[in-house]
């Protein structure tokens, strides 16, 4: 039997801006309920909880009609998420929040939660999704991409299993999720022809979509006519719930473990700004929630639940697949910039209010001519980091720093951000911070922090690492891991590689970006800064009209090197790959995925990743971490970061670009991001790469304070995950208020027992490999906090 699934796939943003999508949602839902009133056999299916919130704002009467049809089972709500996001780029917690806010909205306003997950149009699906779906109320999942020419499946219906063992029943839609407005006979024929056999239970989607619309009267009349012909399998207007319930007993089904890829690999990189702002917003929200929870627990400031929820929903909306993937029209990104900026502002404001209220209660005795400094650690583990701050201070006078015990702390000066005649100092302090806590330092007059760049060699070295740059090429000439006695450098291999990229905005038809056009050429390399805290090497390179600045930073006791990248890019229809080659020989590489990791072949294909990629072999390896990028490739021991690509905005194959066309190219101009290189002995687990990545993306926060009385100590800690394989990612107030929510995941792919302390409570808990756990006031629960 063929279950005919009537739907109106709606892209709220794509070749239009969101107000147009807003109106189209209302119009499509109006059409849906009208058809439901006219055709008693008809069932309409839709996802995205946000759409109902929009209808509630603009047409409450329509929402009441929808509610009545939901109650009688003919308006089926699937998905359970706030929106259909890109399913590779958002962080693990963003997928949890899609379900948390989506399902809770449906339960509050319709008395239901979705049991069928749905991301019909997303461009690939990460391997952690079955666990997230199963732990948020869904037992099944429907999708379209990757299509058969992109990924072969034994059957379109299968059990999809994530690395932790969770599974959902998944179905790949045959042919398409949309259908013509009038004659759908050809659409139905092509869908049935793509199925492995005519017998059994199958689902075919129909309805006008992308810009909404849904099934038309002509569609519904034609289904009646097609079903009456007798030469097709039985066609029945149906729901996805009915389909999955019947299909689950339809014989032995295959199991697929891991990710469902690849479609549109260009989307891992397209539009650098939206990618970077998404990462920043996710990081600011995680930091804000933790410290707002601490401030509330200390009874200093109420938890700002409404502001943080508003910020999260703005982030979730802009993770819509055509937005975050970079495939929408240029004006849509002005809206995204404003909305994500508002989310970042809400998160930063909530965090600031929390830490200011805490800092005000720290007991800081007065001391003449001294500036107290309170540094906050956003992570539930101890962090050592170089912290920069800038404030008025006569440069000639000199300063030094001490901790809360009066012990000296390494300090050096660096170039101020402000170029003014007023006395302005910028300092770099080597801080050691307690887990999810703060520490108070003092900046005192006297002494002269060292900062000097008289050395002419191009070597950075400490007890862990030695990095040397080649003066002519600007490449890494030596990268020695002292614990392993290994030099990882491959100085003959290219670094800043420019690749020809004639593919469309999505990167349709691409498996690898390997058509090399050239390489940035080094114009200068020098020692920029040295001192007791850190040393910096600077390389300037050029390719045509594009310029690249890379500052290699090694802290005195760090096991990593940060590469601060400033790129001024002016190359249409090209990509920049920053390659970090090693002398290692390996056939596999490990990539971070949302709330987990995945091993993939190191064959050079373009792959999605979160913030890190690792190659390891023969007792050593290199991890490469970014704070803004998501596209990578690995060729043996050579890791490539897709730094930028420049197709035409919203250009979709098979449209060809006219030679004399007036086009705007993406990502032209200046951008900044940071790459962290973690050379290591052993594998990435021993190097602590998961925590390195978190620390790069969420840095400590320094707050200049004043002397005052208070009830808090000069140093405190409020949560600690033990720094093992289990990583705590979330500490927040429960959605229903009162209780505290803690979320953690097993990060190394092996069973673990963890002792976690948070806000005065201790948890002793076991984690299976790759498992995500949520606790509400110490009680384990699902992702919906129910």
């Amino acid at each position: 039997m063929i279950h005919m699934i009537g739907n109106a796939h709606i892209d709220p943003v794509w070749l239009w801006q969101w107000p147009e999508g807003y109106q189209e949602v209302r119009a499509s839902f109006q059409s849906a309920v009208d058809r439901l009133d006219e055709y008693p056999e008809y069932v309409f299916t839709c996802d995205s909880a946000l759409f109902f919130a929009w209808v509630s704002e603009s047409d409450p009467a329509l929402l009441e009609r929808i509610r009545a049809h939901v109650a009688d089972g003919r308006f089926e709500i699937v998905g359970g998420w706030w929106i259909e996001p890109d399913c590779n780029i958002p962080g693990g917690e963003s997928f949890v929040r899609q379900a948390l806010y989506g399902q809770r909205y449906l339960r509050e306003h319709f008395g239901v939660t979705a049991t069928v997950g749905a991301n019909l149009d997303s461009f690939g699906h990460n391997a952690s999704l079955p666990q997230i779906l199963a732990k948020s109320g869904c037992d099944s999942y429907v999708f379209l991409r990757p299509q058969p020419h992109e990924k072969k499946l034994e059957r379109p219906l299968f059990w999809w299993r994530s690395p932790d063992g969770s599974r959902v029943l998944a179905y790949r839609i045959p042919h398409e999720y949309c259908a013509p407005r009038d004659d759908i006979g050809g659409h139905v024929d092509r869908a049935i022809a793509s199925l492995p056999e005519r017998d059994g239970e199958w689902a075919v989607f129909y309805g006008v979509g992308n810009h909404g619309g849904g099934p038309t009267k002509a569609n519904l009349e034609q289904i009646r006519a097609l079903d009456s012909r007798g030469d097709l399998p039985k066609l029945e207007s149906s729901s996805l719930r009915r389909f999955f319930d019947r299909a689950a007993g339809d014989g032995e089904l295959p199991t697929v473990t891991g990710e469902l890829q690849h479609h549109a690999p260009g989307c891992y990189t397209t539009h650098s700004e939206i990618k970077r702002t998404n990462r920043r917003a996710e990081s600011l929200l995680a930091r804000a929630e933790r410290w707002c929870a601490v401030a509330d627990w200390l009874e200093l400031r109420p938890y700002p639940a409404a502001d943080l929820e508003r910020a999260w929903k703005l982030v979730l909306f802009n993770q819509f697949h055509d937005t975050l993937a970079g495939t929408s029209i240029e004006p849509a990104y002005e809206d995204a910039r404003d909305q994500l900026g508002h989310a970042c502002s809400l998160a930063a404001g909530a965090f600031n209010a929390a830490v200011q209220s805490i800092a005000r209660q720290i007991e800081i005795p007065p001391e003449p001519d001294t500036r107290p400094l309170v540094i906050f650690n956003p992570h539930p583990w101890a962090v050592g980091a170089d912290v920069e701050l800038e404030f008025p201070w006569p440069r000639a006078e000199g300063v030094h720093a001490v901790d809360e015990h009066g012990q000296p702390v390494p300090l050096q000066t660096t170039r101020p951000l402000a170029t003014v005649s007023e006395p302005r100092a910028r300092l770099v302090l080597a801080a050691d911070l307690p887990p999810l806590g703060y520490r108070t330092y003092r900046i005192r007059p006297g002494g002269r922090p060292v900062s000097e760049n008289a050395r002419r060699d191009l070597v950075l070295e400490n007890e862990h690492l030695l990095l040397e740059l080649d003066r002519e090429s600007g490449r890494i000439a030596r990268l020695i891991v002292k614990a392993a006695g290994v030099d990882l450098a491959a100085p003959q291999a290219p670094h800043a590689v420019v690749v020809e990229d004639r593919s469309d905005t999505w990167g349709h038809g691409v498996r690898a970006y390997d058509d090399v056009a050239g390489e940035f050429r080094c114009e200068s390399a020098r020692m920029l800064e040295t001192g007791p805290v850190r040393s910096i090497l600077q390389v300037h390179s050029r390719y045509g009209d594009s310029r690249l600045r890379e500052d290699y930073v090694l802290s005195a006791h760090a096991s990593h090197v940060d590469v601060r990248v400033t790129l001024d890019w002016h190359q249409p229809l090209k990509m920049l790959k920053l390659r970090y080659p090693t002398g290692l020989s390996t056939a596999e590489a490990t990539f971070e995925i949302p709330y987990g990791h995945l091993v993939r072949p190191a064959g050079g294909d373009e792959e999605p990743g979160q913030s890190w990629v690792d190659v390891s072999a023969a007792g050593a390896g290199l991890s490469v971490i970014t704070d803004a990028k998501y596209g990578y490739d690995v060729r043996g021991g050579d890791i490539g970061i897709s730094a930028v690509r420049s197709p035409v905005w919203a250009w979709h194959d098979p449209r060809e670009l006219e030679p004399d066309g007036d086009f705007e190219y993406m990502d032209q101009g200046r951008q900044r991001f940071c790459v962290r290189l973690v050379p290591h002995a052993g594998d990435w687990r021993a190097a602590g790469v998961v925590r390195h990545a978190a620390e790069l993306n969420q840095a400590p926060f320094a707050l200049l304070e004043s002397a005052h009385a208070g009830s808090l100590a000069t140093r405190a800690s409020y949560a600690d995950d033990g720094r093992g394989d289990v990583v705590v990612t979330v500490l927040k107030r429960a959605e229903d208020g009162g209780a505290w929510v803690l979320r953690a995941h097993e990060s190394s792919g092996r069973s673990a027992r963890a002792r976690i302390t948070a806000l005065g409570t201790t948890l002793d808990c076991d984690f299976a490999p790759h498992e995500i756990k949520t606790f509400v006031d110490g009680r384990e629960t699902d992702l919906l906090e129910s």
Side-chain angles (χ1 to χ4, degrees):
M1 191 183 84
I2 303 297
H3 296 255
M4 297 299 293
I5 308 299
N7 83 113
H9 176 71
I10 303 172
D11 291 328
V13 178
W14 181 31
L15 307 181
W16 44 86
Q17 292 174 258
W18 72 271
E20 186 172 336
Y22 188 111
Q23 187 279 330
E24 187 54 44
V25 166
R26 188 175 67 246
S28 296
F29 283 7
Q30 180 70 58
S31 174
V33 295
D34 288 346
R35 300 295 83 75
L36 287 167
D37 290 344
E38 297 162 352
Y39 293 83
E41 77 276 19
Y42 172 43
V43 178
F44 180 73
T45 296
C46 73
D47 61 16
S48 299
L50 170 65
F51 293 168
F52 300 103
W54 279 358
V55 171
S56 177
E57 287 178 347
S58 59
D59 194 341
L62 175 58
L63 190 70
E64 288 304 313
R65 292 182 66 190
I66 293 170
R67 187 176 283 116
H69 285 297
V70 169
D72 67 19
R74 296 179 58 221
F75 194 116
E76 182 191 30
I77 302 175
V78 298
W81 289 7
W82 195 243
I83 202 75
E84 276 190 40
D86 181 279
C87 287
N88 286 312
I89 297 168
E93 187 58 24
S94 289
F95 289 105
V96 172
R97 298 306 172 99
Q98 289 283 356
L100 178 67
Y101 295 123
Q103 293 281 45
R104 292 180 68 88
Y105 183 92
L106 297 179
R107 187 164 60 200
E108 178 183 352
H109 293 275
F110 296 98
V112 302
T113 54
T115 58
V116 177
N119 283 298
L120 309 182
D121 197 21
S122 299
F123 307 147
H125 309 262
N126 75 76
S128 297
L129 288 185
Q131 180 177 186
I132 293 170
L133 289 162
K135 290 186 174 182
S136 56
C138 291
D139 60 16
S140 45
Y141 190 65
V142 62
F143 68 100
L144 173 66
R145 301 185 179 92
Q147 293 177 295
H149 68 283
E150 296 164 326
K151 183 177 179 65
K152 292 182 179 180
L153 295 171
E154 184 179 340
R155 290 173 65 84
L157 182 69
F158 57 94
W159 289 106
W160 184 25
R161 186 170 61 197
S162 61
D164 79 304
S166 300
R167 71 175 193 172
V168 293
L169 189 57
Y171 182 67
R172 179 162 66 188
I173 299 168
H175 185 47
E176 273 289 351
Y177 52 73
C178 298
R181 179 176 301 276
D182 299 315
D183 185 0
I184 64 168
H187 168 77
V188 173
D189 287 341
R190 285 191 290 274
I192 293 174
S194 71
L195 296 171
E197 64 267 343
R198 291 166 65 95
D199 295 334
E201 304 285 338
W202 307 105
V204 171
F205 276 60
Y206 72 99
V208 180
N210 287 338
H211 199 268
T216 63
K217 292 182 179 181
N219 292 165
L220 296 168
E221 293 290 346
Q222 195 167 24
I223 289 172
R224 288 176 173 177
L226 289 169
D227 187 49
S228 68
R229 281 183 2 197
D231 61 336
L232 294 174
K234 170 68 176 174
L235 303 183
E236 179 180 295
S237 291
S238 188
S239 67
L240 281 170
R241 182 70 272 160
R242 190 183 311 163
F243 161 67
F244 277 112
D245 286 345
R246 293 185 183 177
D250 194 15
E252 191 71 23
L253 296 174
T255 295
V256 175
T257 300
E259 61 186 346
L260 303 175
Q261 308 289 4
H262 295 84
H263 179 84
C267 292
Y268 312 151
T269 302
T270 306
H271 202 302
S272 292
E273 182 182 1
I274 194 73
K275 305 292 198 288
R276 178 177 178 81
T277 309
N278 173 74
R279 181 81 63 83
R280 180 169 181 262
E282 290 176 328
S283 297
L284 289 174
L285 276 164
R287 181 185 73 167
E289 286 182 336
R290 293 173 197 151
W291 278 104
C292 288
V294 172
D296 193 341
W297 183 74
L298 291 171
E299 298 183 345
L300 298 175
R301 186 173 181 84
Y303 190 85
D307 282 350
L308 293 173
E309 179 179 338
R310 174 65 176 152
W312 263 115
K313 287 179 176 178
L314 288 168
V315 172
L316 299 181
F317 174 62
N318 284 284
Q319 290 175 341
F320 177 70
H321 51 266
D322 281 312
T323 305
L324 192 53
T327 57
S328 295
I329 57 172
E330 186 173 7
Y333 290 99
E334 297 177 7
D335 299 332
R337 175 202 62 205
D338 294 346
Q339 291 163 355
L340 286 173
H342 186 37
C344 289
S345 180
L346 287 169
F351 168 77
N352 179 69
V355 297
Q356 294 274 3
S357 67
I358 293 168
R360 182 63 185 84
Q361 295 303 317
I362 298 172
E363 176 74 27
I364 305 177
E367 184 178 316
D369 300 325
T370 294
R371 288 301 304 266
L373 175 69
V374 182
I375 304 179
F376 293 84
N377 175 14
H379 302 287
W381 60 85
V383 169
D386 297 345
V387 177
E388 295 189 25
L389 63 145
E390 191 162 327
F391 64 101
W393 195 285
R395 292 181 186 151
E397 183 180 347
V399 294
H400 66 282
V402 297
D403 63 16
E404 71 274 20
H405 304 299
Q407 296 300 306
V409 176
L411 188 73
Q412 76 185 61
T413 58
T414 189
R415 184 178 66 85
L417 300 180
T419 307
V420 296
S421 58
E422 296 294 324
R424 191 84 179 159
R426 187 164 186 84
L427 305 177
V428 187
L429 180 144
D432 287 306
L433 306 174
L436 193 64
Y438 63 81
R439 191 172 183 184
T440 307
Y441 296 86
R442 290 177 180 270
I443 302 172
R444 291 173 171 170
R448 192 173 297 280
V450 177
S451 178
E452 118 112 67
N453 59 1
R455 288 169 47 189
R456 296 190 57 79
D457 63 321
L458 297 178
V459 177
L460 303 175
E461 185 175 9
N462 64 16
E463 70 266 35
H464 303 294
L465 304 174
L466 184 149
L467 179 145
E468 181 179 3
L469 298 181
D470 179 78
R471 191 175 297 277
E472 296 301 317
S473 68
R475 298 171 182 166
I476 297 174
R478 289 191 294 164
L479 183 57
I480 297 174
V481 186
K482 294 185 177 180
V486 173
D487 185 354
L488 295 175
Q492 302 308 311
H495 166 53
V497 179
V498 179
V499 177
E500 294 286 357
D501 177 14
R502 305 292 301 186
S503 63
D504 66 9
T505 312
W506 284 255
H508 283 125
V510 172
R511 288 193 65 85
Y513 290 98
D514 53 8
D515 183 6
V516 176
E519 183 182 0
F520 274 76
R521 298 300 177 187
C522 176
E523 293 188 327
S524 67
R526 63 171 179 146
M527 180 70 72
L528 180 68
E529 180 180 312
T530 60
V533 178
R534 70 185 186 191
S535 297
I536 302 176
L537 296 174
Q538 184 179 92
V539 179
H540 285 273
S541 306
R542 183 170 182 169
Y543 179 89
D545 294 333
S546 299
R547 295 181 179 274
L548 177 66
R549 168 179 163 172
E550 296 169 287
D551 291 352
Y552 290 79
V553 184
L554 178 63
S555 299
H557 301 289
S559 58
H560 64 270
V561 176
D562 282 346
V563 188
R564 299 175 179 176
V565 180
T566 303
L567 173 66
D568 190 11
W569 177 253
H570 299 280
Q571 306 299 323
L573 300 180
K574 289 183 172 61
M575 170 186 273
L576 172 62
K577 282 275 189 180
L578 292 181
R579 311 209 68 85
Y580 295 93
T582 72
L584 300 174
S585 177
T586 178
E588 294 182 331
T590 306
F591 294 72
E592 185 187 26
I593 64 171
Y595 270 148
H597 64 272
L598 200 64
V599 176
R600 297 181 176 127
D605 284 356
E606 191 73 2
E607 300 284 3
Q610 289 286 297
S611 56
W612 62 266
V613 179
D614 178 84
V615 293
S616 296
L622 176 68
S623 296
V624 175
I625 305 170
T626 79
D627 67 351
K629 302 301 176 182
Y630 296 89
Y632 306 90
D633 74 290
V634 181
R635 304 168 189 272
D638 177 346
I639 299 173
I641 299 171
S642 298
V644 62
R645 66 182 296 259
S646 296
V648 170
W649 292 88
W651 164 35
H652 197 298
D653 179 76
R655 166 71 189 274
E656 295 185 1
L657 303 180
E658 298 83 3
D660 58 348
D662 181 17
F663 300 111
E664 295 288 334
Y665 297 91
M666 302 182 72
D667 272 0
Q668 302 296 292
R670 189 178 179 90
Q671 61 171 284
R672 292 182 177 178
F673 56 95
C674 189
V675 176
R676 177 165 290 183
L677 306 179
V678 186
H680 56 80
D683 69 3
W684 57 270
R685 297 171 180 85
V689 170
V690 172
R691 296 179 192 273
H692 268 294
E695 290 167 20
L696 176 64
N697 284 276
Q698 296 179 42
F701 177 78
L703 179 64
L704 283 168
E705 254 298 339
S706 57
H708 47 64
S711 59
L712 298 178
T714 54
R715 173 176 177 155
S717 173
Y718 300 100
D720 191 342
D721 66 10
R723 205 178 178 88
D725 290 344
V726 173
V727 178
V728 168
T729 55
V730 172
L731 181 62
K732 61 181 280 286
R733 184 170 285 286
E735 295 302 306
D736 293 328
W740 298 108
V741 174
L742 184 144
R743 189 154 24 254
H745 73 106
E746 195 289 309
S747 65
S748 295
R750 52 199 182 193
S751 298
R753 182 165 181 79
R755 167 162 286 190
I756 300 169
T757 60
L759 305 182
T761 299
T762 299
L763 298 173
D764 290 297
C765 40
D766 294 309
F767 283 72
H770 308 279
E771 187 176 15
I772 306 164
K773 283 182 181 284
T774 302
F775 301 90
V776 178
D777 272 0
R779 174 182 59 87
E780 187 176 348
T781 184
D782 60 19
L783 297 178
L784 305 183
E785 303 175 13
S786 57

